[in-house]
Amino acid sequence: MEQEILSKDMIPQPELWRCVIEMDESRLDVALFPPVETERLIHRTILLNPDAPSLDKAVQEAVYANPLLLSDFARIDVLITTTDFSIVPAETAQYADAAQILTAAFIDTEGKTAEMCAPSPNCSIAFAIDSSLAGFIRRTFFNVRIAHSLAPLIAYPAEETAIFAAVERGKVLITAFDTGNLLFANIFSCACAEDATYFISAVSKNLPVENLPVVLAGNSEEADLTEEYLTKYICAPKRSTLPHTLARFGKDTTTLTQPLTAFLSCGL
């Protein structure tokens, strides 16, 4: 199916809108958030060219093919999905930079730029991104901020004690909280729903708090199958619901990935 192009004429005044892009190795998920409720949020998934010589080139090709992304939005944020990261207490980030933290975590940063984001007062995330890609992002997007895709999921600790699993295409993002305290946060590559079920189960069995309920997010077929498998082998998960603050912005809100949903609802 041919992808719909994000053309310049889709938004008359982009300088009033916010743009958030979640980026991984296979796609860009773009959320364009309007300034008023009378407008509708726009969400598009842009598949990257698998034959591009590098991720940097694939992202460039996708951005230039969608001219609206080159507009000067009121604010633009890029969420990077990478397993090259380390979550540390906020105090650690005061005394060590991102490169030092990643080196201590045995993460190879050769050819990469070390970045840091602070999603909450209690913790920071150090992560690595390909240097050429980081350069392209900063050259291309106006006043851009770069963060890790887990950042919005841990920005505001959940009051309930539970495991939160977002099953997206090709990956599952898992966090766990105990009365507001972060117990776990990681990203796993998944080829199928069975993989997602395995990772959620493994996390559940290795947390310091036993038998945590599972809250499942995701709009894909893999998410529905994961719910079925979890019900058979662990417990019936609760499906997450769209925050009412977003629901009023139209039908595209129902297709957002969980990092984008969390980002736009928590106001990072």
Side-chain angles (χ1 to χ4, degrees), residues 54-71:
S54 65
L55 177 59
D56 172 34
K57 297 299 183 184
V59 171
Q60 290 188 42
E61 180 181 320
V63 169
Y64 291 137
N66 292 270
L68 182 59
L69 297 181
L70 300 173
S71 302

Side-chain angles (χ1 to χ4, degrees), residues 173-195:
L173 301 89
I174 304 176
T175 57
F177 295 91
D178 179 15
T179 58
N181 296 312
L182 180 65
L183 298 177
F184 183 89
N186 209 344
I187 300 173
F188 301 96
S189 297
C190 294
C192 57
E194 288 87 347
D195 289 346

Side-chain angles (χ1 to χ4, degrees), residues 7-19:
S7 60
K8 283 276 190 178
D9 58 4
M10 289 183 69
I11 299 178
Q13 293 181 289
E15 65 273 12
L16 301 179
W17 290 56
R18 291 170 56 191
C19 175

Side-chain angles (χ1 to χ4, degrees), residues 245-259:
T245 53
L246 282 184
R248 64 181 184 269
F249 285 98
K251 64 179 183 179
D252 273 14
T253 57
T254 63
T255 65
L256 292 171
T257 66
Q258 193 62 15

Side-chain angles (χ1 to χ4, degrees), residues 177-237:
F177 295 91
D178 179 15
T179 58
N181 296 312
L182 180 65
L183 298 177
F184 183 89
N186 209 344
I187 300 173
F188 301 96
S189 297
C190 294
C192 57
E194 288 87 347
D195 289 346
T197 304
Y198 168 79
F199 287 121
I200 296 168
S201 175
V203 170
S204 175
K205 292 177 181 178
N206 287 279
L207 290 175
V209 181
E210 297 182 351
N211 301 318
L212 289 186
V214 176
V215 180
L216 190 66
N219 303 304
S220 64
E221 180 182 351
E222 289 83 357
D224 295 335
L225 286 172
T226 300
E227 178 180 14
E228 180 182 334
Y229 296 149
L230 286 172
T231 301
K232 287 182 179 179
Y233 301 115
I234 305 177
C235 63

Side-chain angles (χ1 to χ4, degrees), residues 9-253:
D9 58 4
M10 289 183 69
I11 299 178
Q13 293 181 289
E15 65 273 12
L16 301 179
W17 290 56
R18 291 170 56 191
C19 175
V20 188
I21 304 173
E22 183 186 355
M23 185 180 299
D24 66 20
E25 293 183 349
S26 65
R27 64 181 183 168
L28 308 180
D29 270 286
V30 179
L32 302 170
F33 194 73
V36 293
E37 291 183 30
T38 53
E39 301 281 357
R40 291 292 174 256
L41 178 144
I42 298 171
H43 170 231
R44 295 291 185 273
T45 297
I46 303 170
L47 300 180
L48 299 180
N49 179 5
D51 298 322
S54 65
L55 177 59
D56 172 34
K57 297 299 183 184
V59 171
Q60 290 188 42
E61 180 181 320
V63 169
Y64 291 137
N66 292 270
L68 182 59
L69 297 181
L70 300 173
S71 302
D72 290 342
F73 292 98
R75 180 170 141 189
I76 186 164
D77 292 86
V78 175
L79 304 177
I80 302 293
T81 301
T82 174
T83 55
D84 292 334
F85 75 94
S86 179
I87 300 177
V88 297
E91 293 80 4
T92 301
Q94 292 179 358
Y95 299 102
D97 62 25
Q100 292 171 321
I101 292 170
L102 294 174
T103 298
F106 303 102
I107 294 173
D108 183 13
T109 58
E110 184 177 355
K112 299 177 182 178
T113 299
E115 304 279 349
M116 183 92 78
C117 63
S120 81
N122 300 320
C123 70
S124 295
I125 306 177
F127 59 101
I129 174 176
D130 181 82
S131 295
S132 59
L133 178 58
F136 171 75
I137 291 171
R138 288 200 163 93
R139 289 192 310 271
T140 304
F141 299 121
F142 172 73
N143 197 25
V144 67
R145 299 190 310 176
I146 302 175
H148 194 276
S149 58
L150 283 172
L153 300 181
I154 61 179
Y156 290 94
E159 294 182 0
E160 58 185 307
T161 297
I163 295 170
F164 297 85
V167 180
E168 313 286 357
R169 290 187 182 87
K171 60 182 180 286
V172 57
L173 301 89
I174 304 176
T175 57
F177 295 91
D178 179 15
T179 58
N181 296 312
L182 180 65
L183 298 177
F184 183 89
N186 209 344
I187 300 173
F188 301 96
S189 297
C190 294
C192 57
E194 288 87 347
D195 289 346
T197 304
Y198 168 79
F199 287 121
I200 296 168
S201 175
V203 170
S204 175
K205 292 177 181 178
N206 287 279
L207 290 175
V209 181
E210 297 182 351
N211 301 318
L212 289 186
V214 176
V215 180
L216 190 66
N219 303 304
S220 64
E221 180 182 351
E222 289 83 357
D224 295 335
L225 286 172
T226 300
E227 178 180 14
E228 180 182 334
Y229 296 149
L230 286 172
T231 301
K232 287 182 179 179
Y233 301 115
I234 305 177
C235 63
K238 175 184 175 183
R239 290 300 287 258
S240 67
T241 56
L242 185 71
H244 71 278
T245 53
L246 282 184
R248 64 181 184 269
F249 285 98
K251 64 179 183 179
D252 273 14
T253 57

